[in-house]
Amino acid sequence: MGVFSKIHRFREAGEEANVNNVEQFGQPVISLFTTTKVFSLHHHIDITDSSGNIRYQADSKFLSFHDKTDIRRATGEHVAHIERKLLTLHERHFVTMADGSGFQLSNELFHFIRDITNIEGLDWQLKGNILGLNFELYDGSGNIIAVIGQKLFSIHDKYCIDIYREEYEEKVVAILVTLQHMIRDRQSSHASASSGSSGN
């Protein structure tokens, strides 16, 4: 493990847990990995375990203003439904779990380096390092739940996630998928703004 691995926490399936994660939080209970299929009419995400077995799949409806996404286990059971709220100053997504419970992710604005996303309904916070592409998920008492790392320069939009609270696995998966959509939306809006300014 090099110095860079302390800054950037992504790893491929089969590799050892990130040195910085282990030093701070110990060995994760579960590690999952995502790959997004590109050039598809539907936004599709496969979520696999360390052996490459698919545990969850997420699919978004094509041309949906509310960015509606459903997550299912590999066996087909429904896990969660995600929708984006339009016309709001905050980036806000609603998540409804299969058991009927729900929560929403609301991104705090005006943070230059670290993003803070409040998870209302769970009293959790997702703290992100935009430069390092790392995100840490904490409960209301400040205890770590999961650490997320995004791969640099990947056309398949890869993430890895180390989970430290096994009982929250499916909620964490729903948050991970929502985070990917929020990052993608932000990248699209920045690209649109850049192309608009360059065209003036």
Side-chain angles (χ1 to χ4, degrees):
M1 295 283 184
V3 175
F4 184 67
S5 66
K6 278 183 168 284
I7 301 170
H8 184 63
R9 303 187 188 185
F10 177 84
R11 75 181 194 281
E12 299 283 359
E15 296 179 352
E16 292 183 7
N18 177 271
V19 62
N20 194 52
N21 292 356
V22 173
E23 287 178 0
Q24 282 189 270
F25 310 117
Q27 288 287 344
V29 178
I30 304 166
S31 295
L32 299 175
F33 305 84
T34 78
T35 301
T36 303
K37 290 187 178 179
V38 292
F39 312 122
S40 169
L41 290 180
H42 295 271
H43 187 74
H44 177 88
I45 300 173
D46 286 329
I47 301 162
T48 62
D49 60 21
S50 297
S51 300
N53 302 308
I54 293 177
R55 289 177 66 96
Y56 304 95
Q57 293 184 309
D59 287 285
S60 302
K61 291 186 177 180
F62 181 56
L63 293 179
S64 168
F65 287 109
H66 291 279
D67 194 20
K68 295 181 179 180
T69 302
D70 285 288
I71 304 172
R72 290 179 172 81
R73 299 188 192 102
T75 48
E77 296 92 347
H78 191 258
V79 172
H81 176 78
I82 303 166
E83 286 193 27
R84 178 181 62 208
K85 183 176 182 180
L86 299 178
L87 303 176
T88 175
L89 289 176
H90 294 256
E91 298 168 325
R92 189 180 294 271
H93 286 67
F94 294 91
V95 180
T96 305
M97 303 300 295
D99 63 4
S101 63
F103 52 90
Q104 55 184 302
L105 279 72
S106 175
N107 202 51
E108 293 185 9
L109 303 181
F110 313 120
H111 289 274
F112 180 62
I113 294 179
R114 286 186 68 83
D115 268 342
I116 297 177
T117 300
N118 295 310
I119 304 174
E120 301 164 13
L122 294 178
D123 193 28
W124 294 357
Q125 270 198 337
L126 185 67
K127 298 181 180 181
N129 183 326
I130 297 172
L131 299 180
L133 299 177
N134 303 317
F135 304 88
E136 296 170 356
L137 179 62
Y138 294 93
D139 67 16
S141 299
N143 300 311
I144 192 69
I145 297 173
V147 180
I148 300 167
Q150 182 184 4
K151 185 176 183 180
L152 287 167
F153 314 123
S154 171
I155 64 170
H156 292 288
D157 200 18
K158 289 186 173 183
Y159 289 74
C160 70
I161 181 163
D162 289 334
I163 300 175
Y164 292 87
R165 302 281 293 276
E166 188 174 13
E167 68 271 28
Y168 296 139
E169 178 180 340
E170 293 192 344
K171 286 185 174 69
V172 171
V173 167
I175 291 167
L176 171 62
V177 171
T178 306
L179 174 65
Q180 290 189 238
H181 280 258
M182 293 173 80
I183 291 173
R184 187 192 61 182
D185 290 347
R186 183 178 296 188
Q187 290 171 340
S188 297
S189 64
H190 286 174
S192 298
S194 297
S195 62
S197 61
S198 62
N200 291 334

